[in-house]
Amino acid sequence: MTAPSEARPRGTRLPRVARRRQLLAAAQQVFVERGYHAAAMDEIAERAGVSKPVLYQHFPGKLELYLALLEQHSEALVEKQRAALQSTDDNRQRVVASFQAYFDFVSGEGEAFRLVFESDLRNLPAVREKTEETTLRCAELIGEVIRQDTSVSDEEAHLLSIGLVGMAETSARYWLSHGGIPKEAAEQLIARLAWRGISGWDLTRS
């Protein structure tokens, strides 16, 4: 069995925030390895090196654990996208940075992207709403740049941003599962495709 996350002797008292972080890390390992339905609270507690009562003190059930992880990693993806768009004023480089954010997310440690993009709970309203919200928030960030720096309408900017987010997510996930191209080359290739499309509109800045 995999060693407990942040291994400590069972019973060691941790500050609440640190304990929560430890439990979420253990839950992520189990959810990614087994999927939500096959994951068991017993195994999560064992992986974290705590008793089940300690786990239940922090999370009433498995769904609450999953939703907490989904919230954590959804927010991380949105922040990666925000940082990418704010990293430069050059629109071409913004496109590159935006795609890099998705490639970085899917290739990140712990396979957190599976919780956001490949959940076996996608039909559950709370999960579906959160994943859709994450997509929309990333698209809104991109759409705002498009609105500011092109001649397109708000509605057109929104549709274009949804298309770019879909391209970024799909291409990054495909690259991760199939490989064959180095990460940087893959990022540049897809970003070049996107730039050739978006730069077809009149730009106020290059």
Side-chain angles (χ1 to χ4, degrees), residues 70 73-74 77-78 80-81 95-108 112-119 122 127-128 130-139 142 160-178 186-187 190-191 193-194:
L70 181 60
H73 294 302
S74 294
L77 176 58
V78 172
K80 280 181 180 291
Q81 190 59 242
V95 172
V96 173
S98 183
F99 279 89
Q100 284 176 338
Y102 272 86
F103 277 77
D104 286 347
F105 184 70
V106 302
S107 60
F113 80 97
R114 297 190 184 281
L115 300 171
V116 180
F117 297 141
E118 298 179 2
S119 170
R122 290 295 288 264
V127 174
R128 184 174 63 251
K130 173 52 65 176
T131 54
E132 290 175 353
E133 176 195 331
T134 302
T135 296
L136 287 174
R137 288 177 66 193
C138 288
I142 295 170
L160 286 169
S161 68
I162 290 291
L164 288 170
V165 166
M167 184 190 299
E169 177 192 329
T170 302
S171 59
R173 290 170 59 195
Y174 181 88
W175 165 81
L176 185 67
S177 62
H178 290 78
E187 294 166 350
I190 301 301
L193 172 64

Side-chain angles (χ1 to χ4, degrees), residues 26-64:
Q28 180 172 325
Q29 292 173 1
V30 177
F31 286 139
V32 166
E33 290 172 12
R34 308 200 184 285
Y36 176 83
H37 294 294
M41 293 292 272
D42 283 335
E43 183 176 1
I44 293 169
E46 179 65 26
R47 192 76 61 97
V50 301
S51 65
K52 277 184 70 176
V54 169
L55 178 58
Y56 281 112
Q57 285 173 11
H58 291 264
F59 298 97
K62 189 167 67 168
L63 179 58
E64 287 77 13

Side-chain angles (χ1 to χ4, degrees), residues 149-164:
D149 291 354
T150 72
S151 58
V152 304
S153 68
D154 289 353
E155 292 79 9
E156 290 169 333
H158 179 69
L159 183 57
L160 286 169
S161 68
I162 290 291
L164 288 170

